[in-house]
Amino acid sequence: MDGLLERPMLSPSVAIDTASYKIFVSGKSGVGKTALVAKLAGLEVPVVHHETTGIQTTVVFWPAKLQASNRVVMFRFEFWDCGESALKKFDHMLPACQEKADAFLFLFSFTDRASFEDLPGQLARVAGEAPGAVRIVIGSKFDQYMHTDVPERDLTAFRQAWELPLLRVKSVPGRRLADGHTLDGRAGLADIAHVLNGLAEQLWYQDQVAAGLLPRPPENTPD
């Protein structure tokens, strides 16, 4: 089951560690930040866009098995989403979202060229003072790729320059079961598993490096 808002109930015989992280979701208004978080949490995706008026937090639990040891770790992701207007209007909003953030998700929309061109500025403005934090770029509305304003050659150039993970997500509402009302959890899981798995892998690797269990990667400076 994808995206649980409450901690899953586990058998007392199952020994499992929980790793908790704060993730700030950044992007221009209308790119689908709130819709992405809703999909990750297994919730209804808003049909009509409404600007997030303040800071909205959503907790998602995601179990993962470590390849090296087969140990299961429960990842607790706390997503912070704040509307662009609120960030511009209230000076304390961005520092609150940045404070002790373990990861930043930078969203752009395949149907909004300006949101893609805004990425370098956002990377510097939002995560510039947190060089050790995980940074992942996500292109939303990938299901509307036939009408894209961001061609593949531009994505390739961006990846080469910044050397950051770049994922794609659909923005259509989740599929439903035969009753026409209940969200199809299995189908929803297939749509978002790559995002949560990628986030868990990057954060776990970051922790292992910080603990000295893995070598620190060489510094990469974008051109």
Side-chain angles (χ1 to χ4, degrees):
M1 184 174 185
D2 63 308
L4 300 177
L5 296 183
E6 297 181 357
R7 198 184 196 287
M9 297 297 295
L10 300 171
S11 169
S13 62
V14 177
I16 188 168
D17 296 324
T18 299
S20 298
Y21 301 98
K22 175 183 176 181
I23 299 103
F24 177 38
V25 184
S26 177
K28 289 176 62 66
S29 177
V31 297
K33 299 186 295 294
T34 302
L36 171 67
V37 174
K39 288 180 76 70
L40 296 178
L43 302 175
E44 293 279 359
V45 174
V47 178
V48 180
H49 171 255
H50 295 286
E51 177 89 12
T52 303
T53 56
I55 296 175
Q56 178 176 301
T57 63
T58 305
V59 174
V60 175
F61 285 93
W62 185 251
K65 181 181 289 186
L66 305 181
Q67 291 182 344
S69 62
N70 283 332
R71 180 162 61 98
V72 176
V73 175
M74 183 66 72
F75 288 86
R76 180 188 183 275
F77 299 131
E78 184 174 292
F79 293 98
W80 285 53
D81 171 24
C82 186
E84 186 180 27
S85 297
L87 287 174
K88 293 179 178 178
K89 185 176 181 181
F90 301 105
D91 292 339
H92 69 282
M93 289 286 196
L94 181 56
C97 293
Q98 292 170 313
E99 185 180 12
K100 297 181 179 179
D102 300 291
F104 297 90
L105 301 184
F106 293 93
L107 265 68
F108 72 93
S109 169
F110 277 101
T111 62
D112 181 358
R113 175 74 189 184
S115 68
F116 177 74
E117 295 177 343
D118 189 52
L119 285 175
Q122 284 209 42
L123 284 159
R125 182 173 64 254
V126 175
E129 297 182 7
V134 167
R135 297 178 297 168
I136 297 176
V137 176
I138 298 179
S140 67
K141 304 181 183 180
F142 183 59
D143 44 299
Q144 301 175 34
Y145 194 73
M146 293 298 293
H147 308 287
T148 183
D149 290 333
V150 186
E152 190 64 34
R153 63 178 180 274
D154 291 347
L155 298 178
T156 300
F158 179 87
R159 281 196 297 264
Q160 291 174 345
W162 289 90
E163 297 185 343
L164 295 176
L166 196 157
L167 307 177
R168 297 166 170 83
V169 294
K170 300 176 181 179
S171 298
V172 294
R175 284 173 281 180
R176 302 185 183 278
L177 298 178
D179 62 12
H181 300 287
T182 308
L183 285 173
D184 185 339
R186 185 177 296 274
L189 180 64
D191 287 341
I192 54 84
H194 68 295
V195 176
L196 293 172
N197 282 335
L199 187 56
E201 184 173 6
Q202 292 280 325
L203 285 165
W204 188 256
Y205 174 77
Q206 173 185 262
D207 283 356
Q208 300 307 292
V209 170
L213 300 175
L214 290 174
R216 188 172 297 277
E219 294 290 336
N220 292 319
T221 303
D223 297 332

